[in-house]
Amino acid sequence: MVKVEVKPNVLQWVIKRMDNFDRLKDQFPNIDKWINQESQPTLKQLEKRNYSATS
């Protein structure tokens, strides 16, 4: 499992661009932990978001 360091300002940018924050929270229940830097997403989690953004 490869963890990826994502800066909080990048995650906040993603949140602002999302039309539906609840949907984002459903996809990533740990996003609050990522923003607070208590945890980091895995590469697979980020890829999942990328695929759902393009479909």
Side-chain angles (χ1 to χ4, degrees):
M1 173 169 41
V2 177
K3 295 276 187 167
V4 179
E5 182 178 351
V6 180
K7 299 292 183 188
N9 61 334
V10 174
L11 294 168
Q12 291 166 346
W13 174 80
V14 170
I15 290 168
K16 286 180 184 177
R17 293 194 39 96
M18 282 293 296
D19 292 335
N20 187 336
F21 180 69
D22 291 332
R23 181 174 162 216
L24 184 66
K25 289 278 285 182
D26 288 342
Q27 291 176 340
F28 304 108
N30 292 324
I31 194 164
D32 292 327
K33 289 182 181 180
W34 301 344
I35 292 170
N36 294 327
Q37 296 185 310
E38 297 169 18
S39 178
Q40 294 295 326
T42 64
L43 182 57
K44 289 206 178 279
Q45 288 171 317
L46 295 176
E47 289 174 339
K48 174 184 167 187
R49 174 65 205 133
N50 187 38
Y51 292 133
S52 64
T54 59
S55 55

